[in-house]
Amino acid sequence: MRRAALGLGGLVGLGLLGCSGADPPTPTSGPIESIVHIGPTAVQLYAYRHRLDLAALPIEPPLGLPLTGPIELDANVSIPLTGFQPDVRRIYGRAAVRCVGHCQLGDDRTPLRDDGGAFGGELAFSHLDLDGLDAQVEIKRGVARVTRWAWPSTELETAVGLEVRLARDPRASALDGCVRFRPTAALAARDPRLHTLTTLTGAAQDDGWYYLRIAGTAASPRLIAARCEPATGG
């Protein structure tokens, strides 16, 4: 049960819980398992300014690329239990992550993997710095939705919208989202090959932005070159 609850928590682990009041709670600490609290009728995921490494999050590496770097995790998520099993349709709460040091996607060795998607298999990939990433997720009625995405990258301007329809098996959770991006001259100067890759994999638009639709499942995500709307909201 603990592993199942933690897996569901991993799907919603990218986000920020808004806390208010004159006396903020004490930051939590420990391994990722320490934020899981199992009760007779529900599992609670609770964290406040909880320091971890991205690599410690129980999530699938996006497109096979490793994630590393120090983060702060906030979460307040309730997973009701029915017959000692998670009732995914009644999961609710908020969660968030923000990078608080040097965070990175890719390691200059591992290829990008996207079988059947826009990339069509494996492609060489160096890395992207994720410094300053700040994202929030809200969960209602078993659907996790990105409600905030802030990434002040000098190499790649982005806007991201994503909904995850949670399944009892977290790997089977369905993805529906959109990424809008625009590579900059700074990326071209550091890694011309990666800059070219970003311009060839999305659906180019007249305004200079590129679009990729996110589909598939958490275990097998797909990126599709198509115009889409990366909407986020409350």
Side-chain angles (χ1 to χ4, degrees):
M1 174 60 66
R2 189 179 184 89
R3 289 184 61 189
L6 182 56
L8 285 169
L11 288 174
V12 299
L14 298 181
L16 169 73
L17 172 66
C19 296
S20 62
D23 298 314
T26 302
T28 54
S29 63
I32 185 65
E33 292 86 354
S34 66
I35 77 168
V36 181
H37 307 280
I38 302 176
T41 60
V43 175
Q44 286 291 132
L45 308 179
Y46 176 76
Y48 176 69
R49 305 193 68 169
H50 195 109
R51 290 293 186 103
L52 291 167
D53 193 281
L54 276 168
L57 294 178
I59 57 176
E60 295 288 331
L63 301 175
L65 297 171
L67 277 169
T68 56
I71 62 168
E72 279 188 350
L73 173 67
D74 299 336
N76 192 358
V77 178
S78 177
I79 306 173
L81 301 176
T82 300
F84 301 104
Q85 294 295 325
D87 187 344
V88 296
R89 293 172 298 179
R90 295 168 56 210
I91 296 175
Y92 66 91
R94 293 182 179 179
V97 68
R98 54 186 170 271
C99 287
V100 292
H102 178 59
C103 298
Q104 184 171 291
L105 173 66
D107 58 6
D108 300 313
R109 299 185 304 275
T110 305
L112 181 149
R113 187 184 71 246
D114 181 39
D115 299 334
F119 300 101
E122 292 189 351
L123 290 174
F125 189 95
S126 58
H127 71 272
L128 285 173
D129 294 332
L130 301 179
D131 300 355
L133 177 64
D134 183 354
Q136 178 172 300
V137 168
E138 183 172 317
I139 307 99
K140 292 180 180 178
R141 294 181 289 276
V143 176
R145 182 172 183 243
V146 173
T147 56
R148 173 176 168 80
W149 176 270
W151 178 27
S153 171
T154 60
E155 295 186 339
L156 194 67
E157 299 175 69
T158 60
V160 174
L162 177 64
E163 288 189 352
V164 181
R165 189 165 297 278
L166 303 178
R168 180 169 292 181
D169 176 2
R171 293 170 55 86
S173 298
L175 308 179
D176 182 12
C178 177
V179 177
R180 185 179 71 156
F181 60 94
R182 181 164 59 184
T184 71
L187 179 59
R190 178 181 68 82
D191 191 337
R193 186 173 181 178
L194 182 56
H195 182 276
T196 299
L197 173 63
T198 62
T199 64
L200 294 177
T201 54
Q205 301 297 317
D206 293 338
D207 57 6
W209 289 86
Y210 297 82
Y211 296 81
L212 289 172
R213 188 166 67 84
I214 305 170
T217 65
S220 300
R222 296 177 61 225
L223 297 178
I224 302 165
R227 181 68 184 265
C228 52
E229 179 57 47
T232 59

